[in-house]
Amino acid sequence: AIGIDAFTISINNRAILTGLLESLGLADKTTPVLRSLDKLGKIGRERTANEMVESAGVTAEQSDAVLRLAECDGDAESILASLPEITGGNETAAAGIERLTQIYRGALASGVSPERLKIDVSIARGLDYYTGVIFETTLDELPGIGSVCSGGRYDNLAGLYTKQHLPGIGASLGLDRLLAALESLGRLSGVSKPCAVFVPFFDKGHRDDYLKLASQLRDAGIGTEVYPEPKKLGQQLKYADAQGFAVAIIAGGNEWEAGTVQVKTLATKESQDVAYSHDSPQALIEAIRAATS
């Protein structure tokens, strides 16, 4: 719907990894092992193996067995068929394999395209509260941007807050990454600036006056942004031009003392002095409406 048609949802089941670690005698080192494994795609096999040995205290043989599982590749059915042997027949892993199989086949039966769905047993999702299915979504055109939608099942997380057994599945969307991807792919259309008026903050002693002025304009239905810190006026006007504001309201010490402000139309660079005080903002409001109509 947002213009990205080529994406892949990779799924795994945390129980498969957990079961393998149980069979390797690493059940008490699950969290550091999984956090290391989660970096496999970023830092490669050798560095992941080294980190696993150093941070989790596993042996080289144990890290090799974990990576052998993570590197299991091929089509979905061949991966599923190979997992029981790789995990050594562990019961926890067997339950995870069965559930992963059911999710994959059920998704296809529900109409999900096999091109969209991939079984990837290297996915670890380093957070230790995941207990079942885990998934990550990547953009086929921009795989380097990372996951844009990830999550999984957690059976026991709610137990931190209630005695009820409340399993759930959660996911989060990477909105910043999606926006960055859309921009990179040239699929973001131009949008108008939501605020019409920009108020430069360049006289440090009049901060509250700028804020009061902006509040009065907002009360009149005029979208207004105040620059968040005192800087040189030229820098702030350059920012206003780049952001597409229609009007800048310029007021320094002399203007505040004289009871006027400068209304500057940014597109034409034309300015006019307008009477203004906190007790009498109407002339400024009318001038802004005329300048932005």
Side-chain angles (χ1 to χ4, degrees):
I2 64 173
I4 297 175
D5 299 320
F7 60 89
T8 301
I9 304 171
S10 298
I11 60 172
N12 190 16
N13 191 295
R14 177 61 74 78
I16 300 172
L17 292 161
T18 301
L20 175 64
L21 296 179
E22 288 175 1
S23 69
L24 294 171
L26 298 175
D28 60 335
K29 298 179 178 179
T30 298
T31 299
V33 168
L34 293 179
R35 283 179 180 161
S36 297
L37 184 60
D38 212 25
K39 300 175 184 178
L40 178 60
K42 302 181 184 75
I43 65 176
R45 189 187 207 280
E46 184 176 350
R47 289 177 62 190
T48 300
N50 291 337
E51 180 174 315
M52 212 176 287
V53 171
E54 293 170 7
S55 66
V58 306
T59 67
E61 291 75 17
Q62 288 169 326
S63 70
D64 187 68
V66 173
L67 290 170
R68 181 179 169 227
L69 171 66
E71 292 171 339
C72 185
D73 201 6
D75 64 82
E77 293 297 338
S78 66
I79 291 174
L80 291 170
S82 67
L83 290 177
E85 186 271 328
I86 294 175
T87 55
N90 175 273
E91 289 185 9
T92 302
I97 295 166
E98 173 61 20
R99 289 178 177 172
L100 181 60
T101 301
Q102 293 301 325
I103 288 174
Y104 177 76
R105 292 176 180 170
L108 297 186
S110 299
V112 176
S113 168
E115 295 178 356
R116 296 263 199 247
L117 201 59
K118 175 185 178 184
I119 290 180
D120 185 348
V121 288
S122 70
I123 296 174
R125 304 296 300 156
L127 298 170
D128 58 7
Y129 56 71
Y130 289 120
T131 55
V133 63
I134 47 179
F135 48 89
E136 294 186 347
T137 308
T138 52
L139 307 181
D140 296 353
E141 294 175 273
L142 291 171
I145 208 166
S147 173
V148 297
C149 179
S150 302
R153 177 176 175 126
Y154 40 86
D155 283 331
N156 307 312
L157 187 60
L160 296 172
Y161 309 102
T162 176
K163 292 182 179 179
Q164 287 181 278
H165 180 60
L166 297 172
I169 293 180
S172 61
L173 286 166
L175 295 179
D176 287 349
R177 290 185 183 184
L178 282 169
L179 286 170
L182 288 168
E183 185 175 30
S184 177
L185 295 169
R187 293 173 192 165
L188 275 183
S189 57
V191 295
S192 61
K193 183 70 187 175
C195 292
V197 175
F198 176 69
V199 179
F201 173 20
F202 61 97
D203 189 328
K204 191 174 182 179
H206 286 278
R207 185 201 68 167
D208 291 352
D209 290 318
Y210 294 123
L211 295 175
K212 178 67 174 178
L213 184 156
S215 177
Q216 291 177 323
L217 295 182
R218 293 175 188 137
D219 287 343
I222 299 171
T224 304
E225 178 180 323
V226 181
Y227 200 78
E229 57 182 330
K231 283 191 174 182
K232 291 181 180 179
L233 178 59
Q235 289 180 273
Q236 297 185 51
L237 292 178
K238 186 176 180 180
Y239 164 82
D241 279 328
Q243 294 298 312
F245 288 94
V247 170
I249 308 301
I250 300 172
N254 293 335
E255 285 84 3
W256 289 117
E257 187 175 341
T260 64
V261 296
Q262 186 183 144
V263 178
K264 184 179 183 72
T265 303
L266 294 171
T268 63
K269 310 302 181 186
E270 295 177 354
S271 299
Q272 59 174 314
D273 291 330
V274 177
Y276 169 79
S277 71
H278 294 327
D279 295 328
S280 181
Q282 195 57 40
L284 175 60
I285 291 170
E286 291 174 2
I288 291 170
R289 285 176 175 161
T292 57
S293 61

